[in-house]
Amino acid sequence: MNIGGRRAAVRWTAAAAVIGALVGVTGCQQTPTRAEAKAGRTITEASTAESTEESTEQITGMAGAARGQGGACVFVKPDGAQKFGHVGWGFRITGTDRWVYGAIENPSGKLYTPPGGDIGAWQAEGTYARMLSEMSRDAHYPGRSEHPYSRYRCTSSSTSDVPAARAMIRTVAERGFLVGVDPRTGKLTSRDCLDATSDVLKAYRTRRLVPAPKLAVPNVWVESLVGWSDKSLTPR
């Protein structure tokens, strides 16, 4: 769902930065497993209904192979990070139906992991359909959330830079994880799943990409993606 324009997006992202700083988000830590849920709890699946006619057209375009056309997607676990949300990325290898996708999962749930530490970084490549299937099942890095990535938002892009995006994936995988005070600089900042997703898609030169302030809340930032399609994602 969109939130109604650039001014609203700025207000939301500014508020997100404040919220993230105050509550000390654990950043991308997954929530308890379905097996750990209380006995008798009913798990309901997200609706797979189409969001809008525009969304349908955009998603259809993503699956195609228009010459010179790029595209990007953001995948969302709304229940991740204590309900603040967790996100991953996908981008199209220009003019093909091949996509590169991945995420920073932060399996330890720690607020700080130094550069070179295990932050659950992964990436994969495949068709658009394969990307949706594997993201919907946590196929490459199984999380502990009751539902894997359950929402995705995509946009076409007339600009793209696949080599730069691939290079940024390597950068975010090696720079460690942080939500809070950087022990090296003493500054309040972040290097979390949202920063990684935003940096990769920015390097790709994604059109209509809204900047993600440091310490922003993923679920809030996702709502600021004006003009992106919005669909539910169920295991497939």
Side-chain angles (χ1 to χ4, degrees), residues 86-165:
H86 167 75
V87 292
W89 67 79
F91 60 84
R92 185 178 182 178
I93 298 176
T94 314
T96 76
D97 188 34
R98 303 291 296 179
W99 290 70
V100 178
Y101 46 101
I104 301 298
E105 303 288 353
N106 191 34
S108 71
K110 296 179 180 179
L111 293 176
Y112 176 66
T113 299
D118 179 15
I119 60 174
W122 67 272
Q123 65 168 308
E125 182 178 323
T127 64
Y128 180 77
R130 180 175 178 178
M131 175 178 69
L132 296 188
S133 175
E134 294 188 348
M135 294 300 283
S136 76
R137 295 180 287 108
D138 274 339
H140 290 276
Y141 203 101
R144 299 196 304 274
S145 58
E146 293 181 14
H147 195 298
Y149 291 93
S150 59
R151 180 185 182 189
Y152 65 112
R153 305 198 63 179
C154 297
T155 184
S156 60
S157 183
S158 59
T159 57
S160 60
D161 191 335
V162 174

Side-chain angles (χ1 to χ4, degrees), residues 98-229:
R98 303 291 296 179
W99 290 70
V100 178
Y101 46 101
I104 301 298
E105 303 288 353
N106 191 34
S108 71
K110 296 179 180 179
L111 293 176
Y112 176 66
T113 299
D118 179 15
I119 60 174
W122 67 272
Q123 65 168 308
E125 182 178 323
T127 64
Y128 180 77
R130 180 175 178 178
M131 175 178 69
L132 296 188
S133 175
E134 294 188 348
M135 294 300 283
S136 76
R137 295 180 287 108
D138 274 339
H140 290 276
Y141 203 101
R144 299 196 304 274
S145 58
E146 293 181 14
H147 195 298
Y149 291 93
S150 59
R151 180 185 182 189
Y152 65 112
R153 305 198 63 179
C154 297
T155 184
S156 60
S157 183
S158 59
T159 57
S160 60
D161 191 335
V162 174
R166 289 187 186 275
M168 182 56 68
I169 290 175
R170 294 191 292 270
T171 296
V172 301
E174 296 169 357
R175 70 187 182 189
F177 187 93
L178 172 67
V179 176
V181 177
D182 190 331
R184 296 177 297 178
T185 65
K187 295 182 178 180
L188 187 65
T189 187
S190 60
R191 293 189 292 273
D192 60 9
C193 60
L194 174 53
D195 295 307
T197 296
S198 176
D199 287 347
V200 169
L201 296 185
K202 180 179 179 180
Y204 182 76
R205 301 177 61 203
T206 304
R207 295 290 304 275
R208 294 185 292 275
L209 181 66
V210 178
K214 296 297 183 181
L215 297 166
V217 175
N219 279 343
V220 175
W221 176 79
V222 166
E223 300 303 326
S224 73
L225 298 176
V226 177
W228 294 51
S229 64

